[in-house]
Amino acid sequence: MWQNKEYPKDTLFCFKKMNSKKFFITTPIYYINDVPHIGHTCTTVAADIVARLHRQLGEEVFFLTGTDEHGQKVAEAAEKENLSPGEYCDKIAPRFEEAWKNLNISNDFFIRTTDPKHEKVVGEVLQKIYDKGDVHKAKYEGWYCVGCEKFVTESELVDKHCPLHPPEKTVWKSEENWFFKLSKYVPKIIELIENPETNFIFPEGKRGEVLAKLKAGVNDISLSRENVAWGIPLPWDKTQTAYVWFDALINYYSATQFVEGKKEFWPADLHLLGKEILWFHTVIWQAMLLSAEIDLPKKTFTHSFYMIDGQKMSKSLGNVISPQQLVDLFGIDGTRYLIARSFPTDNDSDVGIERFKERYNADLANNLGNLVSRVAKLAEGESFENLDSGIEKDPDYEIFIKLINELKFNEAIEIIFRDSLNAANLDLNKKTPWKLDKEDPERKKILKEIIQYLLVAIKFLKPIMPDTCEKIEEVFKGEIKPLETGLFPRIK
Ligand code: MSP
């Protein structure tokens, strides 16, 4: 197995904490102004696959996700529905929890930034930053994108508005704010990124982008808002609330402080994020932690976007796909597989229901599902001794681990298909065991070999499709049982 020579072994251990006992992984916490769509699903499924793999490796995992509930954007969404922001959040947050449950996401905790326990830690961290002397009052005047909850510079505007959101979301602000001395930490952050021992930005390509921006000069940034009541009041000035990003980023740390038994999980091993929030995670978050003298996370990993038939997903374009739509069509594991297979690792990935159908039918219905049911039927009632996937002993397992840790799910899956499933299919068709007599030892030998191939593939695929893989393992455990229903029925 795993004869692939494209991945030199000496590059495999770039993941510093790969064999550590504890592994803390996070997703961004999602804005609650809208219900979940497959953009959110993509990061959550990715984190789940990585978390499950690390559990498979025997590590103690803390997997955190949640919702970002304060700020102007959420307050406006609540107003539109004639609800108080609190009522609105209580209505929408369960939709995210439910969506993740319906995708068999194994998060250990779901954080909501309106949880008083989180709010308390935010107050403490901000107070530390204040005590350090890194905060001063000044006037902010400029553009603000309510969609991004972000102050935008003139140079970031396209046609006078933030290119990521409708024009009306970009508004002029003029207010007295508390400012954070971001510029003070720039030299330290540059030094950390430039040193391979301490660099925390992955993939490589994103490093240059952040460094260039850092070296071009960085202004101090607003840490509070004057006229946004829906937020956490600053400990030293109750007339202002924490700028929503300062509140939100602290979730990664606060959860470890108030969830029982999780203190020793800080610093985080891996923050997963989409490319639009790279700066917040690699610069602002690091500077906040440096200022508050809290250990820095070990790694951030940034991915690109799902596009729907070439366009950005948006409510106004009416092209939003919900995770439930996919689950209804492809089942839970089918959906998880499709998300992983089309994951936008480096470049944006164009997805759509028709593409998903093609992929599902080709890989899951025609290949994996069909193979399992053919083999199970042929070997029904027989038992095979010493069936062992042997995966842990396989030195190439490391390649798989590396690819998953780098969110290169597509490459990881391609290897499984090429080396295990296609090989099993080929063997089956070439050696035609069904033509041999049931008592013929050659028939048993052929079937055993094919089942071994299959079990290796299943073990690899387990973090991606946990329930299906367990079901398949059950079929081949002891006396082989036929599958009662097809694993992946073909979809028209
Ligand atoms: N609330 C902030 C994050 C705070 S983290 C301290 C936020 N929320 S968000 O709901 O707008 O988006 C969060 C994440 O969703 C993105 O970073 C990205 O991971 C994911 N995606 C949202 N749309 C996406 C696509 N179309 N494609 C892939 N992922 C994208 O930003």
Side-chain angles (χ1 to χ4, degrees):
M1 290 307 303
W2 301 96
Q3 297 308 315
N4 195 323
K5 299 279 180 256
E6 287 160 38
Y7 303 97
K9 293 272 166 20
D10 56 351
T11 63
L12 292 178
F13 288 94
C14 65
F15 284 89
K16 290 172 238 161
K17 289 288 285 184
M18 203 155 72
N19 294 318
S20 73
K21 285 257 166 52
K22 287 196 165 32
F23 183 74
F24 177 26
I25 178 167
T26 68
T27 71
I29 48 171
Y30 302 107
Y31 283 131
I32 205 165
N33 65 310
D34 204 358
V35 293
H37 57 62
I38 61 162
H40 309 123
T41 309
C42 136
T43 323
T44 312
V45 169
D48 191 59
I49 293 170
V50 178
R52 283 178 185 271
L53 176 72
H54 281 258
R55 287 195 199 102
Q56 197 169 298
L57 291 170
E59 294 172 25
E60 202 187 325
V61 172
F62 180 31
F63 168 17
L64 178 70
T65 188
T67 38
D68 188 352
E69 304 192 0
H70 288 125
Q72 189 170 346
K73 176 167 163 144
V74 173
E76 284 177 6
E79 207 181 308
K80 257 194 204 151
E81 292 207 17
N82 279 327
L83 292 173
S84 72
E87 286 167 339
Y88 175 81
C89 292
D90 288 345
K91 184 179 145 195
I92 306 288
R95 301 282 298 272
F96 278 85
E97 286 189 85
E98 196 184 285
W100 304 152
K101 223 158 120 200
N102 291 344
L103 276 165
N104 201 5
I105 300 297
S106 63
N107 55 300
D108 299 289
F109 191 71
F110 186 94
I111 192 168
R112 295 183 53 187
T113 52
T114 47
D115 185 332
K117 296 197 251 351
H118 164 76
E119 296 182 348
K120 181 169 171 277
V121 181
V122 170
E124 289 162 4
V125 173
L126 293 182
Q127 185 65 49
K128 278 193 190 170
I129 295 176
Y130 180 82
D131 293 344
K132 189 75 171 283
D134 286 343
V135 169
H136 64 280
K137 211 167 189 183
K139 189 167 172 125
Y140 177 81
E141 214 164 36
W143 296 104
Y144 187 83
C145 172
V146 181
C148 297
E149 289 282 18
K150 184 177 131 182
F151 299 93
V152 276
T153 58
E154 290 280 349
S155 63
E156 286 169 322
L157 301 178
V158 175
D159 291 338
K160 299 198 174 130
H161 69 89
C162 156
L164 295 178
H165 292 98
E168 65 275 14
K169 294 281 176 200
T170 303
V171 290
W172 182 259
K173 293 270 174 205
S174 172
E175 54 182 48
E176 277 275 301
N177 286 164
W178 289 95
F179 273 68
F180 170 56
K181 273 193 196 152
L182 180 63
S183 53
K184 173 175 163 188
Y185 294 97
V186 167
K188 182 70 193 166
I189 294 172
I190 293 178
E191 182 194 315
L192 289 168
I193 299 172
E194 284 183 338
N195 179 350
E197 288 294 310
T198 53
N199 165 56
F200 48 81
I201 303 182
F202 292 83
E204 293 259 349
K206 294 289 169 203
R207 220 168 286 166
E209 190 181 318
V210 175
L211 280 172
K213 212 168 148 189
L214 281 168
K215 289 178 181 174
V218 173
N219 294 326
D220 293 339
I221 56 161
S222 172
L223 163 152
S224 68
R225 301 295 310 276
E226 193 181 27
N227 299 313
V228 179
W230 185 236
I232 303 174
L234 295 181
W236 64 90
D237 177 0
K238 303 273 190 243
T239 67
Q240 300 240 345
T241 56
Y243 167 40
V244 64
W245 268 99
F246 275 73
D247 161 359
L249 286 162
I250 294 172
N251 93 86
Y252 303 130
Y253 173 70
S254 76
T256 63
Q257 301 307 293
F258 73 77
V259 180
E260 216 189 310
K262 302 297 180 201
K263 275 211 167 74
E264 64 283 20
F265 278 91
W266 190 261
D269 292 272
L270 185 56
H271 289 321
L272 295 191
L273 45 129
K275 62 181 179 181
E276 84 287 23
I277 52 178
L278 174 69
W279 184 255
F280 284 105
H281 282 80
T282 55
V283 176
I284 298 175
W285 179 221
Q286 312 297 322
M288 287 166 68
L289 291 168
L290 285 168
S291 170
E293 297 179 13
I294 298 170
D295 287 344
L296 302 187
K298 299 192 180 75
K299 185 176 299 154
T300 62
F301 215 106
T302 303
H303 64 76
S304 294
F305 272 0
Y306 269 156
M307 305 292 278
I308 308 285
D309 302 319
Q311 284 179 306
K312 197 172 177 281
M313 221 181 329
S314 89
K315 256 204 287 193
S316 49
L317 288 172
N319 62 357
V320 176
I321 300 179
S322 79
Q324 197 54 45
Q325 246 175 299
L326 296 186
V327 172
D328 290 345
L329 261 171
F330 305 110
I332 296 176
D333 281 344
T335 302
R336 293 172 59 100
Y337 176 85
L338 294 169
I339 297 282
R341 190 71 151 111
S342 56
F343 191 78
T345 311
D346 294 316
N347 301 313
D348 289 345
S349 170
D350 206 23
V351 296
I353 298 289
E354 283 314 308
R355 280 166 195 252
F356 280 143
K357 274 188 193 166
E358 276 168 32
R359 180 55 81 186
Y360 169 95
N361 282 334
D363 291 0
L364 299 182
N366 297 351
N367 193 334
L368 177 64
N370 190 28
L371 178 67
V372 172
S373 60
R374 276 175 83 194
V375 177
K377 205 161 170 29
L378 276 169
E380 189 179 338
E382 296 184 46
S383 306
F384 295 84
E385 272 168 35
N386 304 322
L387 269 182
D388 175 16
S389 76
I391 189 175
E392 291 83 1
K393 287 171 255 151
D394 191 328
D396 293 316
Y397 189 33
E398 286 167 12
I399 292 166
F400 182 80
I401 294 167
K402 177 181 186 291
L403 290 174
I404 296 285
N405 273 319
E406 290 180 348
L407 313 188
K408 291 183 178 159
F409 305 124
N410 193 32
E411 277 182 57
I413 290 170
E414 264 175 7
I415 294 173
I416 301 169
F417 272 83
R418 190 182 60 215
D419 287 1
S420 305
L421 293 175
N422 291 349
N425 263 315
L426 269 175
D427 251 21
L428 190 62
N429 294 337
K430 206 168 83 199
K431 296 182 179 161
T432 57
W434 57 88
K435 289 187 182 156
L436 300 174
D437 194 88
K438 271 234 164 201
E439 305 311 314
D440 189 335
E442 184 57 20
R443 174 186 153 103
K444 195 148 185 151
K445 192 173 151 250
I446 297 169
L447 284 177
K448 183 171 177 181
E449 228 171 74
I450 292 170
I451 295 171
Q452 298 263 31
Y453 271 134
L454 241 176
L455 290 180
V456 172
I458 290 317
K459 196 85 180 257
F460 279 105
L461 285 170
K462 216 170 184 175
I464 302 170
M465 298 191 283
D467 281 357
T468 305
C469 291
E470 261 172 42
K471 217 184 211 171
I472 298 173
E473 279 175 344
E474 222 22 69
V475 166
F476 293 104
K477 205 183 264 170
E479 198 174 288
I480 290 170
K481 310 140 234 15
L483 274 167
E484 276 150 30
T485 48
L487 288 173
F488 298 106
R490 255 192 85 81
I491 292 177
K492 288 215 177 77

